[in-house]
Amino acid sequence: MASRSAPVDHNERGRLARQIATPEGVPITATLASRGERAIAFGIDLGIIFVSLAILWVLLILQGGIFDGFALAATLLVSFAVRSFYFAFFELRWRGATPGKRMLNLRVVDREGGPLVPAAVLGRNLMREVEVFLPLSFLLMPNQSGDQDWAVTLAFLWIGLFGLLPLFNRDNMRAGDLVAGTWVIVIPKQALLRDLATAHVQKSDAEEAYRFTQVQLEIYGVYELQVLEEVLRDAGPRSAANRQAVAESIQKKIGFQPPAGVAFEPVKFLESFYKAQRKRLESDIVVRGRRRKSKHDR
Amino acid sequence: MKRLELKSSEFRRERQATWTELEHLIDRVDAQGLASLSPEQVSRLPLLYRATLSSLSVAKAISLDRNLLVYLEALSTRAYLCLYGSRASLFEALGHFFLTSLPAAVRDARWYLFISIAILLSGMVTGLWLTLVEPDYFYTFVPESLVQGRSPVSSNEALREPLYRGVSASEEVTLFASFLFTHNAEIGILCFTLGLALGLPTLVLLFTNGLTLGAFIALYVSRDMGIELSAWLFVHGTTELLAVALCGAGGLLLGSSLLFPGRHDRLATLARQGRKAAVIAIGAVVLFFIAALLEGIARQAISEPSLRFLIGGLCLAAWAAYFALVGRGKDVPRNG
């Protein structure tokens, strides 16, 4: 069962992430939508429902349709359909997204990695009745049934628990997600940037100037390599100073001296070192089956 | 310089065109929908997706370029969402729903259905019996909003009148029917969703609905109008009570998968049974709709008790045949 066995882990930006087992057998890591994002998306959808129903009824009243049986009947039916099937309609048509989710880049997915089937979409959205609309009607129309106050309060608390369910599990699932076996994830966006190992450094003078011994390449691990990648890709205002500082600290740590007559250029040094270090670590993985995680991994 | 190229860079150079092509296609689908792709592009999509997934697993094994890894992961996820986001068009989904999923789900949950019918009937019998013995129970079992001038103090004429009231203007009929439908469907959905509270509220709702009905019948039986009332109720009641029972069955299915998860863990069981229960609940909404049409139109047009019995009975037989027979054999529910 995916939601149990999948460890609670975090992606590279420190957000909750889960593995989805694709039918092709390759797992992909997806970022879970946060409670805040989901609440905002739901708020947007609720706003759309409310406004469209308000427009519908105002039109009906302005047209004098309130006295016309057919118009009133049609409006009642449409209101019911909008309230009950707004979410399911969009999630079926837009591959797991409603207008609110689309604005926040969220999608509904099957927890087991299969296709998002209509039954799951219908199920997760019918549950909103008990999560949201029922407690809401308790609040808006207290005690219409003439029952004892304490009974109504108790019922309200009991039902209110379902609405608060997302606060009590590690997967931010609401009751509908539990019933339908779904997760809500964030659609990732990442551009493919240039390969640092092929660009710029292919000049022979740079290669001659910045050569590293095997001993010098045994100090750092994958973690440091990827931090270096970030430093090299950084285009922020302080990136130049940053690269200078990193270059100096690496130079000192590995005891590197440029050959006589060659000036020490931080960026060229870093790019050459990145390439040499990546080559070394990658061939360690491929040839020797050893992955040095960081400089502490001996 | 060739000898110095990294394995991972070579890998990237060879595969990059595939990734870019997939990325363009998905950008387009996200912006304008699947329909904006040409047939060749649509058929390329799964091929490119699989190629990219295999690139991802190779890259995870040999590359330490984090941007590349994150990019491939994101691209694969988007392609996955694109391909597995939803399975069928709305029309196909509806056809599949009525010809396969719904009857199969109801057959699967037949014991829950029988249980909720039994609870409903036992509520009805209890209500009938108690009210016959002590007419004052009528006020306990029937909520004020449903009384509408029919109570133990009403005259026979006042009680009989609604049974044969023909609503003349057809627009009033439509309004009446749509009101009945939305009201009943909401109660049904509630009955279903409350199953998540371990099924208990569902049982209570079923039983109290039965009590109300029983009390009404008792009132008419005590005035020797039991047959006439039954005929009046039968027209739509067979369909409507079946819909209530279906919602109850869905709710009980939810509750029992939490209480008795069986071999799998609770969440997995709930996820599997929940979809089946949702299918049943949606089917019940359709039944409510048909019941409201029967109630709003057929019942007002036909006042002969034997004809009323006939219509209600035919409906019941039709539903039984539908749920028992349609799509039989090609089961193996696909949850859809």
Side-chain angles (χ1 to χ4, degrees), chain A residues 72-226:
Chain A
L72 193 56
T75 313
L76 265 170
L77 282 182
V78 171
S79 304
F80 170 78
V82 169
R83 202 193 83 175
S84 301
F85 295 108
Y86 166 91
F87 291 94
F89 173 81
F90 281 111
E91 284 178 11
L92 279 172
R93 285 199 62 122
W94 287 359
R95 295 186 300 282
T98 58
K101 289 197 181 70
R102 213 175 154 147
M103 279 181 218
L104 280 119
N105 265 331
L106 308 182
R107 280 289 172 83
V108 180
V109 294
D110 183 80
R111 280 211 300 272
E112 310 268 284
L116 183 64
V117 294
V121 171
L122 294 171
R124 73 187 300 282
N125 289 308
L126 275 183
M127 289 319 282
R128 290 184 200 275
E129 200 67 35
V130 77
E131 289 171 85
V132 181
F133 295 119
L134 189 62
L136 219 59
S137 68
F138 264 104
L139 282 180
L140 297 181
M141 292 173 281
N143 216 357
Q144 52 167 193
S145 55
D147 288 335
Q148 299 293 316
D149 274 342
W150 64 266
V152 174
T153 313
L154 206 64
F156 176 66
L157 286 178
W158 174 232
I159 289 162
L161 281 182
F162 292 112
L164 299 179
L165 212 60
L167 303 179
F168 299 119
N169 68 80
R170 299 174 302 179
D171 296 57
N172 300 348
M173 289 190 284
R174 59 177 184 83
D177 291 314
L178 288 175
V179 165
T182 52
W183 269 327
V184 177
I185 63 163
V186 181
I187 304 175
K189 279 266 159 89
Q190 175 65 57
L192 183 58
L193 305 173
R194 70 185 173 91
D195 189 346
L196 290 173
T198 58
H200 295 315
V201 266
Q202 285 198 344
K203 288 183 182 143
S204 55
D205 62 328
E207 252 163 55
E208 289 308 313
Y210 299 106
R211 287 182 157 236
F212 303 93
T213 64
Q214 288 308 310
V215 179
Q216 284 171 329
L217 295 177
E218 265 162 21
I219 293 167
Y220 292 116
V222 173
Y223 173 77
E224 288 79 18
L225 180 78
Q226 292 182 340

Side-chain angles (χ1 to χ4, degrees), chain A residues 1 24 29 70 95 102 109-110 113 116 119 123 178-180 190 193 195 207 226 229-230 233 278 282, chain B residues 4 8-9 12 29-30 49 64-67 71 73 80-81 84-85 174 265 267-268 270 274-275 278 335:
Chain A
M1 168 74 212
E24 286 74 21
T29 309
F70 280 124
R95 295 186 300 282
R102 213 175 154 147
V109 294
D110 183 80
L116 183 64
L178 288 175
V179 165
Q190 175 65 57
L193 305 173
D195 189 346
E207 252 163 55
Q226 292 182 340
E229 179 187 338
E230 209 144 276
R233 292 194 194 282
R278 194 171 122 194
E282 284 181 356
Chain B
L4 280 168
S8 58
S9 302
R12 171 174 167 166
V29 172
D30 278 351
Y49 162 67
L64 293 176
D65 184 347
R66 199 168 77 175
N67 169 257
Y71 168 81
E73 192 99 59
Y80 165 80
L81 289 174
Y84 290 103
T174 358
D265 80 56
L267 276 182
L270 185 59
R275 293 177 187 187
N335 289 331

Side-chain angles (χ1 to χ4, degrees), chain B:
Chain B
M1 293 312 114
K2 186 100 171 108
R3 69 190 169 84
L4 280 168
E5 187 171 39
L6 269 57
K7 275 270 183 307
S8 58
S9 302
E10 195 183 330
F11 158 79
R12 171 174 167 166
R13 190 164 44 73
E14 283 165 3
R15 310 271 190 109
Q16 195 169 345
T18 310
W19 309 335
T20 326
E21 189 185 348
L22 180 63
E23 195 181 355
H24 286 315
L25 290 186
I26 293 175
D27 281 343
R28 187 134 164 218
V29 172
D30 278 351
Q32 302 163 43
L34 202 60
S36 68
L37 299 187
S38 69
E40 301 90 78
Q41 287 173 319
V42 171
S43 63
R44 293 277 294 156
L45 209 53
L47 300 178
L48 294 170
Y49 162 67
R50 259 173 249 131
T52 304
L53 260 191
S54 102
S55 295
L56 172 65
S57 63
V58 174
K60 274 181 179 164
I62 67 159
S63 178
L64 293 176
D65 184 347
R66 199 168 77 175
N67 169 257
L68 179 74
L69 292 169
V70 174
Y71 168 81
L72 283 177
E73 192 99 59
L75 184 60
S76 304
T77 309
R78 291 178 62 203
Y80 165 80
L81 289 174
C82 197
L83 283 167
Y84 290 103
S86 74
R87 203 186 47 137
S89 73
L90 199 62
F91 191 70
E92 271 178 343
L94 284 178
H96 186 255
F97 180 82
F98 285 110
L99 295 179
T100 313
S101 313
L102 176 59
V106 171
R107 278 197 292 277
D108 247 29
R110 59 184 175 279
W111 290 110
Y112 296 99
L113 182 61
F114 295 153
I115 291 173
S116 56
I117 290 176
I119 306 252
L120 202 57
L121 288 181
S122 66
M124 204 168 91
V125 171
T126 313
L128 177 67
W129 181 57
L130 286 177
T131 314
L132 277 179
V133 173
E134 175 52 67
D136 276 351
Y137 274 122
F138 182 87
Y139 300 103
T140 317
F141 296 151
V142 181
E144 253 174 76
S145 59
L146 289 179
V147 172
Q148 292 172 350
R150 297 167 293 185
S151 70
V153 295
S154 310
S155 67
N156 280 359
E157 287 65 39
L159 287 178
R160 176 174 284 123
E161 194 268 335
L163 301 189
Y164 299 105
R165 184 197 297 148
V167 180
S168 48
S170 59
E171 56 183 53
E172 249 176 87
V173 173
T174 358
L175 178 59
F176 185 47
S178 68
F179 170 75
L180 287 172
F181 163 66
T182 51
H183 174 253
N184 293 340
E186 272 158 28
I187 290 186
I189 291 175
L190 203 60
C191 202
F192 159 66
T193 50
L194 285 175
L196 199 58
L198 305 185
L200 207 64
T202 305
L203 293 177
V204 173
L205 264 178
L206 284 172
F207 193 75
T208 51
N209 263 327
L211 281 181
T212 308
L213 197 59
F216 256 120
I217 297 176
L219 171 63
Y220 280 83
V221 166
S222 68
R223 310 286 179 89
D224 285 329
M225 289 192 284
I227 302 289
E228 289 168 75
L229 177 80
S230 304
W232 183 77
L233 283 172
F234 221 66
V235 179
H236 70 288
T238 45
T239 305
E240 190 173 297
L241 290 182
L242 184 59
V244 171
L246 281 174
C247 286
L252 293 180
L253 196 58
L254 288 186
S256 75
S257 55
L258 280 178
L259 283 175
F260 315 109
R263 283 186 296 124
H264 304 280
D265 80 56
R266 276 202 174 74
L267 276 182
T269 311
L270 185 59
R272 210 179 53 250
Q273 305 286 55
R275 293 177 187 187
K276 210 185 292 164
V279 166
I280 297 175
I282 296 285
V285 171
V286 176
L287 258 71
F288 276 122
F289 188 73
I290 294 172
L293 291 184
L294 287 169
E295 186 171 9
I297 296 166
R299 192 177 69 187
Q300 313 300 333
I302 299 162
S303 52
E304 172 61 37
S306 57
L307 266 182
R308 284 178 166 179
F309 273 120
L310 184 68
I311 293 176
L314 280 179
C315 289
L316 192 60
W319 289 124
Y322 169 67
F323 288 125
L325 301 175
V326 170
R328 222 188 169 101
K330 58 178 179 177
D331 275 18
V332 191
R334 290 198 51 195
N335 289 331

Side-chain angles (χ1 to χ4, degrees), chain A residues 3 58 94 258 286:
Chain A
S3 67
V58 165
W94 287 359
V286 174

